[in-house]
Amino acid sequence: HLSRNGNRRLANYLVRFTMPTLRSLALMESNGAWIDLEQLPKVMEEVNGMMEEQVEKGMAVVPKKVKEAHEERGLRFSRGDFVRDILFSKDGFELKPVRQSKTGPSIDKEVRSTLLEGKLPAKARTFLEAYSQWTILNTLSTRYLNGFEKWVKSDGRIHTRFSLATAATGRVASMEPNMMNNPKRSKEAKKIRRLIAAPKGRVLLAADASQSELR
């Protein structure tokens, strides 16, 4: 049909590149990624312990009035209003907001980095560093470690879905879960990557696929 319409280049692309790639992706989906389930609870415990350490470190410098104001609702780093009051309120460190969000001064990663690059009172810096590290660890725990536990099938593997027609850029996409979005470079990433392992008697082969995209 494509050839009759004169679009032979597109037909050639479909037959020579797309179809063979779909067979490869189907094999990758079927094989899946083996997860070291024996290590998973250990890593979860380790990450939770590190989170508790950062909470203790941060809470040790939180102004007393802010603690008292939020005590009934819970002194948790997961509460954005609590963190904003610590950083920006008159009872807190009274830092100058960098950017506003719908709920008040933004406390996102970019804002925290900007604040840490400037001059800060020692206690404000200690809290910001502890809170920033906690957010990294919390993401590891909730998005990746809990996610691995959710998506592992009875064969001990995660079988993500690959697609050639999802990303507008032409890149291969991974879904349910997105295994291409696992952390790679940070020191915390090693805790996640060590769980994607090889079963006994097998080895992992690392390959850079950046030059094989179908763009």
Side-chain angles (χ1 to χ4, degrees), residues 120-154:
L120 293 174
K123 289 185 177 181
R125 182 172 296 278
T126 297
F127 176 81
L128 261 176
E129 289 173 348
Y131 175 70
S132 294
Q133 188 63 26
W134 177 87
T135 62
I136 293 171
L137 295 166
N138 186 56
T139 298
L140 286 183
S141 176
T142 56
R143 183 180 300 175
Y144 299 110
L145 295 177
N146 291 343
F148 278 13
E149 198 170 38
K150 171 185 175 182
W151 289 105
V152 171
K153 302 300 183 183
S154 58

Side-chain angles (χ1 to χ4, degrees), residues 163-175:
S163 172
L164 291 176
T166 300
T169 59
R171 288 182 176 276
V172 175
S174 169
M175 300 162 287

Side-chain angles (χ1 to χ4, degrees), residues 107-132:
I107 53 174
D108 65 18
K109 182 178 179 180
E110 185 180 341
V111 166
R112 297 196 305 271
S113 295
T114 300
L115 290 170
L116 286 168
E117 288 172 0
K119 292 183 178 180
L120 293 174
K123 289 185 177 181
R125 182 172 296 278
T126 297
F127 176 81
L128 261 176
E129 289 173 348
Y131 175 70
S132 294

